[in-house]
Amino acid sequence: MLVLLAFIIAFHITSAALLFIATIDNAWWVGDEFFADVWRICTNNTNCTVINDSFQEYSTLQAVQATMILSTILCCIAFFIFVLQLFRLKQGERFVLTSIIQLMACLCVMIAASIYTDRREDIHEKNMQFYYMTEGGSYGYSYILAWVAFACTFVSGMMYLILRKRK
C-alpha cells in the first residue's frame, strides 16, 4: 500500500511539473531562428516581443493562457486536498473531491491545447508582422508537454476516483 501511495504522489507531482513547464516555457511553436508561445515571440534568441492587446486574436491567446494557469492551479489544489483527505477520510471511502478537481485540471489543459491547435494558424496569419519567420516552424516541446500533461492528469483523476482509503 505504501508503494502505491508513493507512486500516486510521484505521478501527481510529475503531472504538476509538466503543467508548470508547459505553461511557463517559451516553446509552443519553434523553428530554426525563432520560438513562440502564448506569452511572447522571440527571434534570434534576443529579439523578444511580449504578446499584448495590440495583437489580433489576443483574446484567443488569453483564453489559452487562462486555462493553462487554471489547470496548473487546480492540479496543485487537488494535490493539497489529496494530502488532507489521506488524514481525514474514513477507511473505505473514495477520493472523489480530489478526483473531480484533478479532472477539472485535465479539462482545462485539454481546452488550452485544443484552442491553440485550432487557432494557431489564424493567429500567425493575422499578426504577420510578429510571426513573419514562423512559417517553417513546428509544434514545440511545451505544446507536446501540455498534451502529455492532459493524459497524466486524466489518468491521475481516474486513479483518485477508483482509489479507496485503506489502513
Side-chain angles (χ1 to χ4, degrees):
M1 184 63 186
L2 194 57
V3 173
L4 179 63
L5 182 62
F7 171 74
I8 289 171
I9 289 172
F11 195 74
H12 195 117
I13 290 172
T14 301
S15 299
L18 290 174
L19 285 170
F20 272 107
I21 294 168
T23 303
I24 295 169
D25 208 4
N26 191 14
W28 281 60
W29 187 257
V30 296
D32 292 334
E33 295 291 322
F34 68 91
F35 46 93
D37 69 349
V38 295
W39 305 102
R40 65 179 185 228
I41 305 160
C42 296
T43 56
N44 301 327
N45 291 328
T46 56
N47 185 15
C48 292
T49 304
V50 175
I51 295 173
N52 55 28
D53 57 358
S54 66
F55 277 66
Q56 292 183 19
E57 298 280 330
Y58 180 60
S59 59
T60 302
L61 288 173
Q62 277 187 316
V64 175
Q65 292 170 350
T67 51
M68 283 302 294
I69 290 170
L70 185 60
S71 68
T72 306
I73 291 170
L74 287 172
C75 188
C76 293
I77 289 171
F79 182 72
F80 179 69
I81 290 175
F82 173 67
V83 171
L84 287 177
Q85 284 184 324
L86 276 176
F87 298 106
R88 304 294 291 166
L89 280 181
K90 295 176 183 164
Q91 185 175 348
E93 290 184 5
R94 296 187 188 270
F95 296 89
V96 176
L97 182 60
T98 303
S99 174
I100 289 170
I101 294 172
Q102 188 71 349
L103 289 172
M104 285 173 36
C106 169
L107 179 67
C108 286
V109 72
M110 180 195 70
I111 289 169
S114 296
I115 290 172
Y116 190 81
T117 303
D118 182 53
R119 305 299 296 165
R120 182 208 50 86
E121 210 171 291
D122 293 335
I123 293 167
H124 289 200
E125 286 175 4
K126 290 182 180 177
N127 296 292
M128 199 49 94
Q129 69 273 21
F130 302 107
Y131 289 100
Y132 60 92
M133 295 181 67
T134 63
E135 289 181 17
S138 62
Y139 291 110
Y141 68 87
S142 291
Y143 172 81
I144 294 166
L145 286 179
W147 280 111
V148 170
F150 160 70
C152 288
T153 54
F154 180 75
V155 169
S156 179
M158 296 311 290
M159 281 193 307
Y160 289 129
L161 192 60
I162 296 168
L163 187 66
R164 288 182 185 265
K165 184 176 179 185
R166 295 185 184 175
K167 259 189 172 176

